[in-house]
Amino acid sequence: MLRLHRRFIKWGLATIVMLSAFINVSSFAQDVPTFDSLIEQAVNASDDAVITVGYIDQGQSEFQVFTKEGIDESKPIHAYEVGSITKTFTGTLVARAVEEGLLNIDDSISEYLNLPEDTDYPTIRQLLTHTSGYPTFFENEIIIDNLTQGANPYHGVTREMMLEEVAENTTKVGEQAFQYSNFNAGVLGLVLESIYEENYAVLLENYLSEDLRLEETYLFEEETTLGNNWCWSKDTEAYVPAGALISNIEDMLSYLDLQLSEANAEIQASHDPLSEVNATSGDNGDLGIRIDAVAYQWMLNQEEDIIWHDGGTGGYTSYIGFNKAEGVGVVVLSNVAMDQGIPSNLLGSLLLMEKLEAL
């Protein structure tokens, strides 16, 4: 069996599963695996595994539902936590604000937030590209308590708390080295709320329903059928913009199609590279999981011209990736946690690379 060394985000007290499922594959004792060889391992990791895999190829859309018993030919539609794929929606809202002339990404966040003066703060661009210098979160009693209980680490962290953390923690001037950060996305949510004078949850849900027509993509409200969900309070919590969305394969394939077709100005703009970060880990590049640059929260594999993001919560992993020039993209939604089996970003990236190589 392929040995995978997962990259987790570490902090002073513990190592925890984060909203993103980036994998570091340190070495191979064999050739790069195939999607077919790994999907079997993935579904056998848990008796309750339900992994939905979809793709768009030259305008044709299809999906399959994999379980331990094999492919479920009835094609049930399941709701999954998509974790950090939520960040791509947040980034798109920022791109819309730019298109509307409401925001300049090279402005300091202090231009939009009520913060102490005479202090250095990162720019919007730095938040979007994980070059702000902020950690994935700042330790506080709520997060520590949630971790102790095995709950969503961010549940209960309010906007007011996050704004205080911004005010109390200065950063170095200028772009910093790439450091994946959920805190960045939370602060972007605060900026959007300031610009539009509206709750982030309302902004996002209106955009989902009115602009994108994704009726089955929503912020967490109650337990889904697959269960094992992270709880969120969408109207009050600061980290919601980092990873609170739930969706299904039909909506995520629609979202993928919107990316491939560059359906509106902000989606098109959201793919533009904002920072060259050269942050590919280990042998991940051989699997298509490259981070050469970052756009509006999207990760850019510039060698294969792939735009992608993944997600991971306590019980789910997810992946979306696409090549616009070839009209090919893949979505993977899984209810198998990162520490239990093969995460979605490996499955999705392998399938996408295989489809591109077959052209």
Side-chain angles (χ1 to χ4, degrees), residues 31-49:
D31 293 334
V32 174
T34 65
F35 170 80
D36 287 340
S37 68
L38 286 191
I39 190 66
E40 184 176 355
Q41 290 185 37
V43 294
N44 283 313
S46 168
D47 290 338
D48 300 320

Side-chain angles (χ1 to χ4, degrees), residues 105-141:
I105 63 170
D106 290 314
D107 282 344
S108 166
I109 59 174
S110 61
E111 295 289 326
Y112 306 96
L113 302 177
N114 185 17
L115 293 167
E117 298 178 358
D118 302 321
T119 301
D120 293 321
Y121 300 102
T123 64
I124 306 299
R125 182 190 297 268
Q126 289 173 267
L127 296 179
L128 288 165
T129 59
H130 302 284
T131 57
S132 66
Y134 285 141
T136 196
F137 60 83
F138 288 99
E139 299 177 23
N140 60 50
E141 291 184 4

Side-chain angles (χ1 to χ4, degrees), residues 43-56:
V43 294
N44 283 313
S46 168
D47 290 338
D48 300 320
V50 181
I51 301 176
T52 304
V53 179
Y55 64 85
I56 296 175

Side-chain angles (χ1 to χ4, degrees), residues 145-250:
D145 190 48
N146 285 335
L147 288 169
T148 302
Q149 298 180 44
N152 172 8
Y154 309 106
H155 186 37
V157 179
T158 67
R159 295 178 182 82
E160 293 75 18
M161 292 174 62
M162 178 170 282
L163 195 60
E164 288 179 8
E165 289 171 334
V166 173
E168 294 170 359
N169 293 275
T170 59
T171 60
K172 296 179 181 178
V173 176
E175 187 173 275
Q176 306 301 305
F178 177 90
Q179 181 180 10
Y180 190 82
S181 170
N182 294 312
F183 192 82
N184 285 337
V187 178
L188 287 172
L190 297 180
V191 170
L192 288 167
E193 290 183 336
S194 174
I195 290 170
Y196 289 105
E197 298 182 342
E198 186 63 88
N199 183 287
Y200 172 85
V202 174
L203 285 172
L204 180 59
E205 290 181 336
N206 286 344
Y207 188 65
L208 289 169
S209 61
E210 296 174 10
D211 295 82
L212 303 186
R213 304 295 182 187
L214 301 178
E215 300 296 341
E216 299 301 323
T217 302
Y218 56 92
L219 293 168
F220 173 86
E221 292 180 345
E222 60 184 11
E223 192 87 354
T224 63
T225 303
L226 292 177
N228 197 22
N229 299 117
W230 270 4
C231 291
W232 299 87
S233 297
K234 65 179 184 179
D235 295 322
T236 60
E237 291 181 357
Y239 282 92
V240 165
L245 276 178
I246 290 172
S247 190
N248 63 28
I249 191 62
E250 291 180 330

